[in-house]
Amino acid sequence: MSETNLASESYFHLHLVSDSTGETLISVGRAAAAQYSSARPIEHIYPLVRNQKQLDRVLVDIEAQPGIVLYTLTDRELRDRLKTYCTRNSIPVLSVLAPVVRLFQAYLGGEPTPRVGGQHQLDGEYFRRIDAMNFTVTHDDGQHTEGLEGADVVLLGISRSSKTPTSIYLANRGIKTANIPLVPNVPVPPGLYELKHPLVVGLVASAQRVVEIRRNRLLGLNALQGDESYIDEDAVAQEVAHSRQLCARAGWPVIDVTRRSIEETAAAIIGLLQEHRRRISEEFSS
């Protein structure tokens, strides 16, 4: 970051107070903060705040470094105390779930039943995600290709095209994901073209971006001396072109991840998977 950018950039304190893991608050806070390019949040995250003593420590921090306070607290006494303190000290405070719960209540009727960490129950959905994670780890980087038919999604891509992190993200959404590296002069598993159930997706990026990531990776490993073609932009461009051609011949969709975050790539894949499943269902029922 340049000195000019540093000088023009401002910072603010963002306090995230939760009686559960705080994941909801983190996502909401970061999504909102991202709308302000000239202001960056200094996050203070307080998970598992479930009694007055724990809240005492939170209030001490807020007093020392006031800023925006977002919270998800089920206990009424804790909520009221936090809101009263912030209001008295002119500190902006908001329950991020309250407007949503009110909307649900207006539509569904009746009173909600407060549950701390209700979205983290050990139910069937939870164990489905665990199963997907186990599958994904087992089938990472071209391992156990004989079991690809059991995948929901198979990702293809050259080295450093975000296959593994995207696979893990999808697994956390309950999607069994395998990934296969595309290596120059190494054929893909022969059974890949015969897969019936999984959606096969190619991931590509610009040669410049891939080289940048590969070079940083090698620097971290102190291993820049080696196969020069691995970080040669022309050679990498040929790898990218080959992966595009391979997917085009097979009719597999391709996603360019050059300017996409892992979350955005995963969202695009989930959209393709829904369409893929709909098409298979229609073919089965016809």
Side-chain angles (χ1 to χ4, degrees):
M1 185 178 294
S2 68
E3 291 184 8
T4 302
N5 287 339
L6 281 171
S8 62
E9 193 168 48
S10 63
Y11 294 84
F12 66 97
H13 294 283
L14 177 61
H15 298 272
L16 307 172
V17 188
S18 174
D19 52 18
S20 186
T21 62
E23 293 175 14
T24 300
L25 287 173
I26 293 170
S27 297
V28 172
R30 289 177 180 174
Q35 309 307 310
Y36 295 87
S37 58
S38 61
R40 295 184 61 183
I42 300 173
E43 294 180 351
H44 306 268
I45 302 170
Y46 311 95
L48 305 175
V49 177
R50 298 180 179 178
N51 58 51
Q52 296 291 348
K53 186 175 180 179
Q54 292 167 331
L55 184 58
D56 286 341
R57 292 193 288 268
V58 174
L59 297 182
V60 168
D61 283 357
I62 294 174
E63 181 179 12
Q65 298 174 311
I68 295 173
V69 178
L70 302 180
Y71 69 91
T72 52
L73 295 173
T74 302
D75 185 278
R76 183 182 296 275
E77 290 185 7
L78 295 179
R79 288 201 312 265
D80 290 347
R81 185 178 172 209
L82 178 61
K83 288 192 293 182
T84 299
Y85 174 86
C86 290
T87 302
R88 185 184 302 131
N89 291 278
S90 301
I91 295 172
V93 60
L94 177 69
S95 167
V96 300
L97 287 181
V100 181
V101 172
R102 284 196 295 269
L103 179 64
F104 273 57
Q105 186 176 355
Y107 184 78
L108 299 174
E111 290 292 325
T113 304
R115 288 192 300 163
V116 175
Q119 73 273 39
H120 300 298
Q121 299 301 306
L122 301 183
D123 55 10
E125 175 63 22
Y126 173 83
F127 289 107
R128 186 171 73 89
R129 295 202 309 271
I130 294 298
D131 188 38
M133 190 66 74
N134 287 335
F135 180 94
T136 299
V137 170
T138 302
H139 293 81
D140 180 43
D141 201 31
Q143 300 181 79
H144 302 288
T145 56
E146 71 282 357
L148 291 179
E149 191 62 57
D152 297 311
V153 172
V154 177
L155 301 180
L156 307 176
I158 65 174
S159 172
R160 302 300 141 192
S161 56
S162 304
K163 298 185 301 300
T164 294
T166 304
S167 297
I168 296 299
Y169 186 93
L170 290 170
N172 198 44
R173 297 287 297 271
I175 299 171
K176 294 180 179 179
T177 309
N179 73 78
I180 297 174
L182 297 179
V183 182
N185 303 316
V186 176
V188 298
L192 191 62
Y193 298 100
E194 281 74 50
L195 294 177
K196 303 296 183 184
H197 171 260
L199 167 72
V200 182
V201 179
L203 300 183
V204 299
S206 70
Q208 183 180 11
R209 178 60 175 157
V210 172
V211 168
E212 178 185 349
I213 296 173
R214 287 182 178 183
R215 183 175 284 114
N216 289 337
R217 170 70 171 169
L218 292 178
L219 281 171
L221 297 174
N222 196 25
L224 273 179
Q225 301 301 320
D227 185 2
E228 292 299 321
S229 64
Y230 185 70
I231 52 175
D232 177 79
E233 195 164 321
D234 289 337
V236 172
Q238 292 179 14
E239 289 185 59
V240 174
H242 172 72
S243 62
R244 284 186 178 276
Q245 293 164 4
L246 184 149
C247 290
R249 287 196 299 269
W252 297 323
V254 172
I255 297 175
D256 190 328
V257 303
T258 304
R259 293 181 176 83
R260 290 180 189 256
S261 66
I262 298 300
E263 294 84 355
E264 290 171 326
T265 300
I269 293 169
I270 290 171
L272 291 171
L273 179 60
Q274 291 172 341
E275 179 60 33
H276 176 72
R277 286 173 169 169
R278 187 161 45 246
R279 187 166 56 250
I280 290 178
S281 177
E282 290 172 354
E283 291 174 358
F284 182 77
S285 59
S286 62

